Amino acid sequence: MEQVVIAGGGPVGLWLAAELRLYGIPVTVLESRTEPDPHSRALTLHPRTLELLACRGLVEPFLAEGLKIPSGHFAALPDRMDFTELDTPFPFTLALPQARTEALLAAHAEAVGVRLLRGHRVTGLAQDGDAVTVDVEGPQGERHLRAAYLVGCDGTRSTVRTAAGIDFPGTDATAWAWMADVVLDEPPHRRSVSNAQGAVMVWPLPGGVHRVVGNDAESVRTRPGTPTFEELRAKVRRIAGTDFGMRDPGWLSSFGNATRQAAQYRKGRVLLAGDAAHMHFPSGGPGLNVGLQDAANLGWKLAQTLSGTAPAGLLDSYHTERHPVGAELLRSTRAQTGLMTSYTPETLALRELIGELITTVGEFSTELANRVAGLAVAYPPAASAAAHPLTGTRAPDLALAGTGSLFGLLRPGRFVLLDLTGRLGGDLAPPAPLAALAHRTGPGLDVHSAPPVEGRAHWPGVSAALVRPDGHLAWLSRETDPQALLTAARHAVAATVVTPVAGAAAPVGVVAAEV
């Protein structure tokens, strides 16, 4: 029997599969396409996504191929948010076509042993208390796979979601836009043009190509077909007064603002991630990014569940944590769509006002930028009056004595216990007590005992922190007494795991043991 079957070999499915392989979980990915899609709807990687790649030691190839843009937009406003002030090693958006993102993730997945079957389409499923039976149509005809879990990463028209009986409520499209990849002989100095005639945005892509996206006031409420190249040039000229020397079209397309979210991200042994879980207008290109972050949240939880070390409710916490993130994504894209697809005098005035706030009110711009960049996501801690205010937030890349930084410690995909006092490794002479904790966790545990080499806002007084494999903070303490701190750390780690049941396979590199 398969451990995990993933339907969909796009970026989200590939990233989830690679995350599971970190823990030795066998994974089969079923992709209906026989060849990778050469077209790229998504082309933006946000700072939080780059952080996740860095936490696995994979970001450099993406940085080498992409174009760094030190700003971001909200609702295609000409006044852009400054990303250079964000608290991240990657204070920019990275323009990289989805086809290249997928190719890099596919190479990584293959290197870690993911089994990718192209030309295999999921057609149905049935689940019971022990497994999921997956109906598959492939080059050799129909077959059936039994798996402990099935994850649908198969897009907005997800067969897995439909076959599992998961509702997908929302709204149909009421506004439409168009896009094209072209060569521009006279690219604009500003990336956005917006007026009563419509809006146009222009992004540079690697290879001298530009992505042109827009909508026009005349046809935004009428569902268009894919525009011809000459129609596209005429629309851009009507809005911007020029077509920027547009030539050599590579891809023309149109899209609408249908907005939906899965009612459940988990139903029994079936889970959803990425576009299978949320559908929206691509305002600012968040879809691929939120999908990869879904996979980062799910991977270690599913691995811990399969290893028999998951505490009660851990896999359910995937829905609990990520569904609100998806709901906020839909709220943001709906708000941006309203600003982008209405050309009344009132909406134009609102756009002008928000643009003015972005450029003149630093706190407003920074808050908006953190949300767009994915850095503001925080998961509510378990009910506890003693929880530190930072619990559930994403951990910054703390510079740490003797090791470089936190992101480097997260590369193996394990929990990281930070002893920022630097005393637990000396005064109490572990590793014995903390090493014993390491054997209890499904993903494993690394302990780093050394003070930080720089001060951090909101971190004064923090003596220890437990960082999850996805980079979010599970626990923090201000305790200063070494013995009390060790005891608190033991309780914090113990709360993340249970003793493996007899016969459960421990992940690679982890020995199941009692503390």
Side-chain angles (χ1 to χ4, degrees):
M1 185 174 77
E2 306 281 345
Q3 287 286 286
V4 179
V5 170
I6 296 174
V12 176
L14 292 169
W15 182 246
L16 175 59
E19 287 288 279
L20 289 165
R21 288 298 301 148
L22 278 177
Y23 314 113
I25 304 298
V27 185
T28 297
V29 178
L30 305 175
E31 170 53 50
S32 61
R33 298 170 300 172
T34 57
E35 298 291 338
D37 189 344
H39 300 306
S40 299
R41 282 198 174 273
L43 55 80
T44 302
L45 295 179
H46 291 161
R48 181 55 185 159
T49 301
L50 297 174
E51 289 187 349
L52 291 174
L53 293 169
C55 287
R56 299 296 182 259
L58 297 171
V59 74
E60 292 303 327
F62 292 83
L63 297 179
E65 292 197 30
L67 296 175
K68 300 175 184 177
I69 302 174
S71 61
H73 79 87
F74 185 82
L77 294 172
D79 300 296
R80 297 175 65 85
M81 298 167 289
D82 181 10
F83 276 24
T84 63
E85 298 298 318
L86 297 178
D87 182 15
T88 175
F90 311 104
F92 47 80
T93 56
L94 190 73
L96 184 67
Q98 180 176 333
R100 286 304 303 151
T101 295
E102 184 174 318
L104 291 170
L105 292 177
H108 169 57
E110 180 180 2
V112 297
V114 171
R115 181 187 182 211
L116 173 61
L117 300 180
R118 293 195 175 276
H120 288 73
R121 182 171 65 91
V122 173
T123 58
L125 65 92
Q127 62 173 314
D128 53 43
D130 298 321
V132 184
T133 300
V134 187
D135 303 328
V136 183
E137 186 178 273
Q140 283 75 47
E142 295 183 0
R143 59 189 297 199
H144 306 282
L145 299 178
R146 287 278 284 176
Y149 289 93
L150 169 65
V151 186
C153 301
D154 49 344
T156 57
R157 296 181 176 88
S158 172
T159 299
V160 170
R161 186 188 63 237
T162 301
I166 298 175
D167 291 339
F168 199 42
T171 55
D172 294 331
T174 58
W176 287 267
W178 31 260
M179 59 185 286
D181 291 343
V182 295
V183 174
L184 299 182
D185 290 330
E186 301 172 3
H189 296 296
R190 302 190 73 181
R191 303 197 190 282
S192 303
V193 177
S194 178
N195 52 46
Q197 302 304 312
V200 172
M201 291 193 68
V202 178
W203 287 276
L205 299 177
V209 176
H210 283 77
R211 167 72 53 87
V212 178
V213 180
N215 59 69
D216 54 288
E218 288 187 358
S219 59
V220 68
R221 302 298 173 189
T222 304
R223 182 170 188 169
T226 299
T228 66
F229 181 53
E230 288 306 318
E231 288 172 340
L232 178 71
R233 293 180 64 191
K235 290 176 183 293
V236 173
R237 282 197 299 266
R238 187 161 55 248
I239 298 167
T242 174
D243 62 13
F244 309 116
M246 189 183 301
R247 59 181 173 85
D248 299 339
W251 185 39
L252 302 172
S253 183
S254 61
F255 54 92
N257 68 327
T259 302
R260 298 183 178 279
Q261 184 180 21
Q264 302 164 265
Y265 282 19
R266 178 193 179 190
K267 186 173 183 180
R269 293 180 173 270
V270 177
L271 301 108
L272 304 175
D275 289 348
H278 35 75
M279 175 184 186
H280 52 86
F281 199 69
S283 307
L288 182 147
N289 294 273
V290 175
L292 292 177
Q293 292 155 33
D294 287 343
N297 185 287
L298 176 58
W300 66 274
K301 294 177 178 179
L302 188 51
Q304 198 166 333
T305 299
L306 287 164
S307 72
T309 60
L314 180 65
L315 196 54
D316 284 333
S317 75
Y318 170 61
H319 171 91
T320 303
E321 292 185 344
R322 293 305 297 176
H323 193 273
V325 175
E328 177 59 27
L329 166 67
L330 268 56
R331 185 172 76 127
S332 175
T333 54
R334 276 178 164 143
Q336 294 183 67
T337 302
L339 290 172
M340 294 171 67
T341 61
S342 174
Y343 296 96
T344 65
E346 291 77 14
T347 303
L348 295 174
L350 181 58
R351 288 175 61 85
E352 183 179 353
L353 174 60
I354 294 176
E356 182 180 314
L357 292 174
I358 287 173
T359 56
T360 61
V361 182
E363 290 183 358
F364 177 83
S365 181
T366 299
E367 173 63 23
L368 202 58
N370 272 302
R371 294 187 182 201
V372 170
L375 302 176
V377 172
Y379 304 130
S384 171
H388 188 281
L390 291 176
T391 305
T393 64
R394 139 261 179 211
D397 192 21
L398 296 171
L400 301 166
T403 191
S405 71
L406 174 59
F407 287 1
L409 290 177
L410 286 167
R411 288 188 179 188
R414 296 192 281 267
F415 284 90
V416 173
L417 180 61
L418 297 176
D419 162 31
L420 300 178
T421 69
R423 300 179 66 187
L424 297 188
D427 291 1
L428 299 183
L434 293 177
L437 294 178
H439 296 310
R440 284 284 302 278
T441 62
L445 173 73
D446 287 330
V447 181
H448 181 77
S449 186
V453 299
E454 62 179 353
R456 303 289 301 193
H458 310 300
W459 281 75
V462 174
S463 54
L466 180 63
V467 187
R468 303 180 347 176
D470 60 5
H472 282 258
L473 293 163
W475 165 83
L476 302 95
S477 176
R478 295 188 177 97
E479 182 60 63
T480 56
D481 177 74
Q483 185 61 57
L485 182 59
L486 178 59
T487 299
R490 289 167 64 91
H491 286 304
V493 174
T496 69
V497 297
V498 297
T499 303
V501 297
V508 172
V510 178
V511 179
E514 292 286 342
V515 173

